[in-house]
Amino acid sequence: MQATFQALTDAFVPSVQPEYASPFHETDMGVHNYIILSLNHNISIQQQLNHHIVPLAYPTAIMLNSAATQLVNHHQAQAFPQCLFPGGGMFSHLSRKDRIRTLAALGNLDIDLYVLPSPFQNNAGMVKYVTDALSRFSLFGYYSEWPAYGSTRVLPPDDRCLEFFPLTWQQVGYPGVSLGYRDFRGFLLTMAEVKT
Amino acid sequence: MKTDPDVIVIGAGGGGPVVAKELGELGIRVLVLEAGPWYGNKKWHEPNENRGITKESSNPGDLDGSLYRQQLTRLENDMNDPLSGKFRWGAADRRRTPWYRNIPDRALLWQSAGIGGSTMHYYANSPRAFPEAIEEWPIDYEELIPYYEKVEATLPVEFAPTVSKEALFYYGAEKAGFSMNQTLNVTSSGYRPQPNAILPPNEHLMDPNYSMEELSHMEGCTLSGHCGQGCPYGPSLEKMAKRSTTVSYVPLAMKTGNVSFRPNTFVTKVLTEYSASGKREATGVQIRDTWTGETEELRATVVVMAAGCVETPRLWLNSDLPYNPWVGRGLTNHYMDMVTGTFDEETLMEILGSRSVNPFIGHTSGGRLDYPGLGMIETIGESPGLSAQLLFGFSQYGYNSLHGSASDMWDQRGRLVGSELEKAMEDYSRTLTLSAITDDEVQFHNRVELDPHITDEHGKVPCVHYEPSKKSKKRREQLTKIATDILRQAGATKVHRTDLPSNYFIHLQSTMRMGYVVDTTCEAYQVERLYVADNSADYNALGGPNPTLTTQALATRTAELLASKYFT
């Protein structure tokens, strides 16, 4: 499962140079873990006495591999003989572009929904919701402060603490939490002016 | 509160605390029930970690600005993660999943549980409705004006200061042929600063003799750009710069001595009885403590539903109240799109005198262009994670790398991945993003209903269905083109169009419409003593403007009418 989500973030987000990826040595700064956490922290339902979390990460990994297999079988994608992410399924055998094609096919429901695992089987709304969320989670995980929670990043939110300044914030020129900026250029209009 | 309150208000978001403050000032005793946590109250020192030392708070002395500042960390993942952020639709305990809403599509529905509700993350944009949109309502625009004025003075509302991104926007809007609209009552198209519920910048903001640390403890906006993360800057809780109801109407309500707020309390049912005259009337509510699961019944003379556009109809339906085909129906959304222009340093130098826009500076949304008949265009400058997610990670168009933009108007369209995403984010500090937000048409098929199969701890979960009308789609297209033109006129060298999915929800409205579910006083036609005081009572989408001010004006009016009917 881990490998499938690594293949996913590898297609979505820019790869971090190994020298910057420390201390975790992951070119996606561990964002695939953020996706797994998010998918497993999404839905809970009540059944008699039990309040169940519906874990979505594992069935999502199966869905991605199943969709990739369908694309390969229909010659819409080409599988490399070797697995690019050890332990992964068919999705990890595809080029980045073909992985994006697979996600596009899922998002457009251009696949056989019957062969997908529960809760996705013949459930177009759920397929569209989760496939879309994969992209949002990847970008939010990568460009927010999440990777900088470092060794505490997979803990419950209230147990995390920032261990360093987020690399992506540095890259994009965002100074992080700010007390304020001296960029006041005056008022174009005031309430006093419109009330007279 | 040892005896039954006179009024129970369900929800402490944009509307509920307004009703509470107005009734409290009239000597009416109010209990406000809120499903989420309370930030900035000493009774809940660690509001996400334990249930605190009491169940409710009515003493303004419990409010603590430094605690608020410590809890609102201004970190976008910590605050705004829709699944586990402090501002999410879910219980205070973030180890738990959010409360589920079934939206069977590409979807993101921004709502926040907690004292302050969605005003915790809103940008405090407080424009009035377009008068022409209120003409369709069963009440007149003129009748709303005194209530608008009262809310504008109470919050208070002031036009946003100009910072770089607004200066660039006004420049582009002017060059695109628009002129400034110097009014609160908009009848023609034009640009203007956002009327925002944010205190004006401190007069010393530009004075280097005052450190930013000092200024952040003084009264007034510091242009920190943390509107969406709550903005806890100010000398005390009730003087925080961004006027979420948790720092405006909630303290004012508590100061009346008649209002108590109870967080961590989910209302699962509205209780009713038949009156002597045979009419169904509200008598109280059934609640569930979100930490302990304990349930209780609470009684009151009047019940006000202010739980938001999804939960208010859900609560009606889960309470087995009388059938009304319009409950949950007619949902409007601020169906929108976003365009992002990238500027080169020379152009910016010429227009702004600086080499960057730094969109994260200033009010998150400080400039607007009103366009009656279509909707509105707003500036938006979010932090990098939220920007990347919404601008480049969420689209109905698909992937730019597979399709290109398929139009001369936009250089890129839809989702960006890999190196093209990297490039777009590298340019972040030289971008200006505009939201094109549609005057969405009311459609009976757009709705909140109960999911027939899925139940959570509070009953059947809501299922949200939304498909914009042809007219709404056309309006969005026109507005997106106007926004693109403004960016080009301002000198953008590259424009990216997000093409957001239609099930991106902000400003949900009109699921308990006036004239259909509630009467012109916002009392339910079929259940006496039951009122609605949130966006769901709106007859339509106001012509496009952000709805909070109108909800607050209407809530002020509703409190007055309710008091005169049942408490004189």
Side-chain angles (χ1 to χ4, degrees), chain B residues 134 140-146:
Chain B
I134 302 294
D140 294 332
Y141 187 77
E142 292 298 317
E143 201 182 328
L144 279 176
I145 287 181

Side-chain angles (χ1 to χ4, degrees), chain A residues 5-187:
Chain A
F5 289 107
Q6 277 172 318
L8 182 81
T9 53
D10 176 71
F12 275 141
V13 296
S15 292
V16 176
Q17 299 300 317
E19 62 266 32
Y20 294 115
S22 61
F24 304 105
H25 311 292
E26 291 163 314
T27 54
D28 71 345
M29 298 188 296
V31 169
H32 62 280
N33 288 311
Y34 175 73
I35 298 175
I36 293 169
L37 282 173
S38 298
L39 287 169
N40 288 341
H41 192 76
N42 214 307
I43 299 176
S44 57
I45 56 171
Q46 188 74 31
Q47 285 178 319
Q48 288 92 39
L49 273 178
N50 304 313
H51 193 247
H52 286 292
I53 289 181
V54 181
L56 291 173
Y58 185 66
T60 299
I62 300 178
M63 173 170 79
L64 291 173
N65 286 313
S66 170
T69 306
Q70 289 189 44
L71 259 70
V72 169
N73 289 345
H74 290 98
H75 308 291
Q76 292 163 315
Q78 221 175 355
F80 292 120
Q82 75 278 23
C83 185
L84 305 175
F85 297 85
M90 184 58 88
F91 190 69
S92 303
H93 284 260
L94 302 185
S95 68
R96 283 184 181 147
K97 189 145 197 175
D98 279 348
R99 276 175 261 156
I100 296 297
R101 275 201 188 98
T102 304
L103 289 156
L106 270 169
N108 294 330
L109 306 174
D110 291 335
I111 41 135
D112 181 2
L113 298 180
Y114 177 78
V115 301
L116 300 181
S118 176
F120 301 112
Q121 188 184 38
N122 299 110
N123 188 348
M126 187 64 94
V127 171
K128 282 199 282 185
Y129 173 75
V130 170
T131 306
D132 168 73
L134 294 174
S135 154
R136 284 194 291 108
F137 294 163
S138 301
L139 273 56
F140 189 51
Y142 188 82
Y143 283 107
S144 72
E145 83 278 10
W146 184 84
Y149 289 116
S151 62
T152 67
R153 64 195 171 172
V154 295
L155 297 178
D158 292 297
D159 299 334
R160 303 180 305 194
C161 57
L162 274 186
E163 294 182 350
F164 44 90
F165 189 81
L167 175 69
T168 50
W169 288 4
Q170 199 180 316
Q171 285 171 339
V172 306
Y174 178 64
V177 171
S178 164
L179 294 168
Y181 301 97
R182 300 189 205 267
D183 188 30
F184 176 55
R185 292 167 179 255
F187 288 102

